Amino acid sequence: MTKKKGTLALLIHGGTENWSPARWRRRFDEACVGRPVWLATDGGGDPADVRYAAVWKPAPGELAAFPNLKVIFNLGAGVDALMADKSLPSVPLVRVSVGDLTHRMTEYVALHVLMHHRQELYLRDSQHEKRWQPKYQWPAAAITVGIMGLGTLGSDAAEVLARLGFRVAGWSNSPKQIEGVDCFHGKAQLDAFLRCTDILVCLLPLTSDTRHILNRGLFAKLNRSSPMGAPVLINAGRGGLQNEADILSCLDDGTLGAVSLDVYATEPLPPDSPFWTHPKVVLTPHNAADTDPDEISKYVARQIDRFESGETLENLVDPARGY
């Protein structure tokens, strides 16, 4: 007699097209053949049958309803919201790590670095005003892009930017070695990293140590002698990393020349946020590395198969570090 496979529960609360629960349900049904897939928003089913949960922004306490849960799979890259749930079951928590997500983030970083490097804000303003006045364009080699966070996403972006001809520096909590990248690590080397950075890209996880790390004190240490003049910030990490009042005031007084933001303290971004209309802000709706249901559902299915075969789960979150 074939043993019944443990149920996979989908707890998905997105509200946008890419996070349609029905869309994810169809993908998981295809990837997890023979395994019951339960969409929490549909109701019904026995919570005691659930062995695995694939989640995006679950409500606090929602996962505690499954008494026999074995593994939690977070469908996005950041796990800070999950870690803040005091009722989170003490089971392995797996981060998403697939090539598709990594490549999408690298696309976003390269796009926005190039946009600021090639003076697109000025050029689009010139187009609007029908003004034909190109400025001197410096080479990529004249600009240092500093990436905070050298995990899978940051490392890939760093390598691509180096191939485009930029000088690239990276900063992480622990030592890293990446060909073509000047790597800094730890609090002792943070200031040296900032002093050489013209375009700051933040891909850090959100922890108690990194909350509001993007603040006036940090921005003031960035390099101000590049052809760009004032430095640029690109944050595609987490909204909690940035002090938004500091960003706005630093844009207004010239401490920052421009910013690209994909994440915010409150999401969706409130209609009355000054970010919507600030002339030095490029904003995107937290879609820098939108997760692809096809790739992720297959990834989760493989991880469950590994677990049930007695193999080690990949990309486990370390609760002590928070990522």
Side-chain angles (χ1 to χ4, degrees), residues 160-176:
V160 169
L161 291 171
R163 290 201 297 272
L164 289 173
F166 291 98
R167 299 191 305 250
V168 182
W171 181 83
S172 55
N173 189 46
S174 56
K176 298 288 176 64

Side-chain angles (χ1 to χ4, degrees), residues 1 127 136 198 208 248:
M1 183 177 178
Q127 177 182 349
Y136 165 71
D198 305 315
S208 58
L248 289 164

Side-chain angles (χ1 to χ4, degrees), residues 184-201:
F184 300 80
H185 71 276
K187 293 182 179 178
Q189 296 184 9
L190 179 57
D191 284 3
F193 162 78
L194 295 171
R195 284 195 297 268
C196 73
T197 294
D198 305 315
I199 299 177
L200 178 66
V201 177

Side-chain angles (χ1 to χ4, degrees), residues 120-132:
E120 281 296 302
L121 292 182
Y122 169 77
L123 293 174
R124 297 290 69 79
D125 185 55
S126 296
Q127 177 182 349
H128 179 72
E129 297 183 4
K130 302 179 182 178
R131 182 180 64 235
W132 190 279

Side-chain angles (χ1 to χ4, degrees), residues 45-279:
D46 186 350
D49 291 337
V50 172
R51 298 294 184 273
Y52 311 100
V55 307
W56 177 246
K57 297 184 177 180
E62 195 172 9
L63 284 159
F66 306 122
N68 299 312
L69 191 64
K70 301 294 184 184
V71 186
I72 300 168
F73 298 93
N74 191 55
L75 297 177
V79 297
D80 48 282
L82 272 174
M83 299 300 293
D85 183 356
K86 301 301 183 184
S87 68
L88 190 70
S90 182
V91 301
L93 173 58
V94 176
R95 291 183 295 106
V96 163
S97 181
V98 296
D100 175 78
L101 186 150
T102 301
H103 297 155
R104 290 180 190 221
M105 181 60 81
T106 294
E107 287 175 0
Y108 179 92
V109 171
L111 170 68
H112 286 262
V113 166
L114 287 167
M115 180 175 60
H116 293 291
H117 160 59
R118 294 300 299 259
Q119 306 177 81
E120 281 296 302
L121 292 182
Y122 169 77
L123 293 174
R124 297 290 69 79
D125 185 55
S126 296
Q127 177 182 349
H128 179 72
E129 297 183 4
K130 302 179 182 178
R131 182 180 64 235
W132 190 279
Q133 293 179 355
K135 293 182 177 181
Y136 165 71
Q137 180 58 56
W138 51 83
I143 300 299
T144 297
V145 181
I147 299 180
M148 298 183 79
L150 293 176
T152 302
L153 302 182
S155 297
D156 190 73
E159 292 171 355
V160 169
L161 291 171
R163 290 201 297 272
L164 289 173
F166 291 98
R167 299 191 305 250
V168 182
W171 181 83
S172 55
N173 189 46
S174 56
K176 298 288 176 64
Q177 287 187 328
I178 303 172
E179 186 175 355
V181 179
D182 293 329
C183 294
F184 300 80
H185 71 276
K187 293 182 179 178
Q189 296 184 9
L190 179 57
D191 284 3
F193 162 78
L194 295 171
R195 284 195 297 268
C196 73
T197 294
D198 305 315
I199 299 177
L200 178 66
V201 177
C202 187
L203 298 175
L204 290 170
L206 179 60
T207 68
S208 58
D209 290 333
T210 61
R211 182 170 293 279
H212 289 173
I213 192 171
L214 301 175
N215 56 45
R216 174 175 287 278
L218 182 141
F219 302 146
K221 296 174 182 178
L222 295 168
N223 183 38
R224 310 191 65 79
S225 61
S226 78
M228 299 179 65
V232 168
L233 167 68
I234 299 171
N235 183 18
R238 309 299 287 175
L241 297 168
Q242 62 198 24
N243 182 316
E244 297 186 346
D246 281 5
I247 290 175
L248 289 164
S249 64
C250 285
L251 286 171
D252 290 340
D253 67 19
T255 302
L256 289 173
V259 300
S260 285
L261 302 176
D262 187 57
V263 291
Y264 312 91
T266 301
E267 297 182 4
L269 187 64
D272 61 351
S273 170
F275 286 141
W276 285 110
T277 55
H278 199 291

